[in-house]
Amino acid sequence: MTAETISNLDDARIRAYRDLKDKQLAQAFGLFVVEGEHLVRRLLASDLSVHSVLMTESRYASHAWDIDSPLYLVSKELISGIVGFPFHRGVLALGRRPAQLPFTQAWSEIEGITRLIVCPEINDVENLGSIMRSAAGLGFAHVLLGPSCCDPWARRAIRTSMGAVFQLNIC
């Protein structure tokens, strides 16, 4: 993918990055945000669809990147203006939220004997992220969330899971 340089905060190509909270991203665009090089690389390596990647010009120049999605380069000053706070990680990505299958449909697609993590009601996104990281580390592939659980695609849940959420089947 050819990198496109962005020099204006009002550029329509980066609209989804500007000052949006996780719930706004989910509702308006069906996206989730990933912060930092490690997590962005894990997202890019996953089977999930990547909407776009935004990074500083210096971060792009300092590492090799294999990106098949739109890639936008900005200055260090502009990236902080885009996200609305001092941002030092240098790279963000937006992923497309996968369709959340009803449990009966998801279960019918699982083959063979499997282990399942069931979280009927987790209200803290960092706790959910820790559970997902532990589940993936222990070889679990499936997580069932109750209707009053917090969002597994919330920024802090993804960060706490260290990207393990990208390899789990969540329903």
Side-chain angles (χ1 to χ4, degrees), residues 31-42:
L31 303 172
F32 61 88
V33 66
V34 177
E35 300 174 351
E37 182 176 343
H38 175 73
L39 293 178
V40 168
R41 286 188 185 277
R42 288 194 80 176

Side-chain angles (χ1 to χ4, degrees), residues 95-112:
R96 287 184 174 50
R97 289 172 176 259
Q100 296 293 223
L101 299 176
F103 175 70
T104 52
Q105 183 181 351
W107 186 257
S108 69
E109 295 177 7
I110 296 172
E111 297 179 13

Side-chain angles (χ1 to χ4, degrees), residues 12-124:
R13 294 172 290 178
I14 57 168
R15 178 177 169 222
Y17 288 96
R18 289 192 316 248
D19 298 318
L20 293 178
K21 302 293 182 207
D22 293 332
K23 287 184 181 185
Q24 290 172 310
L25 277 172
Q27 293 169 356
F29 302 103
L31 303 172
F32 61 88
V33 66
V34 177
E35 300 174 351
E37 182 176 343
H38 175 73
L39 293 178
V40 168
R41 286 188 185 277
R42 288 194 80 176
L43 173 62
L44 292 169
S46 77
D47 292 333
L48 296 174
S49 176
V50 179
H51 174 272
S52 60
V53 178
L54 174 72
M55 71 176 73
T56 60
E57 295 157 333
S58 59
R59 176 70 64 163
Y60 180 69
S62 67
H63 300 288
W65 292 93
D66 183 21
I67 301 172
D68 292 331
S69 305
L71 170 61
Y72 306 120
L73 302 180
V74 296
S75 67
K76 282 175 109 174
E77 298 75 29
L78 189 58
I79 201 166
S80 293
I82 291 166
V83 299
F85 56 88
F87 187 74
H88 304 290
R89 290 187 177 97
V91 60
L92 294 159
L94 295 175
R96 287 184 174 50
R97 289 172 176 259
Q100 296 293 223
L101 299 176
F103 175 70
T104 52
Q105 183 181 351
W107 186 257
S108 69
E109 295 177 7
I110 296 172
E111 297 179 13
I113 298 172
T114 188
R115 297 179 299 165
L116 176 72
I117 297 288
V118 179
C119 300
E121 188 172 336
I122 305 294
N123 296 311
D124 183 278

Side-chain angles (χ1 to χ4, degrees), residues 119-124 128 145-152:
C119 300
E121 188 172 336
I122 305 294
N123 296 311
D124 183 278
L128 182 58
L145 302 178
S148 57
C149 265
C150 54
D151 183 8

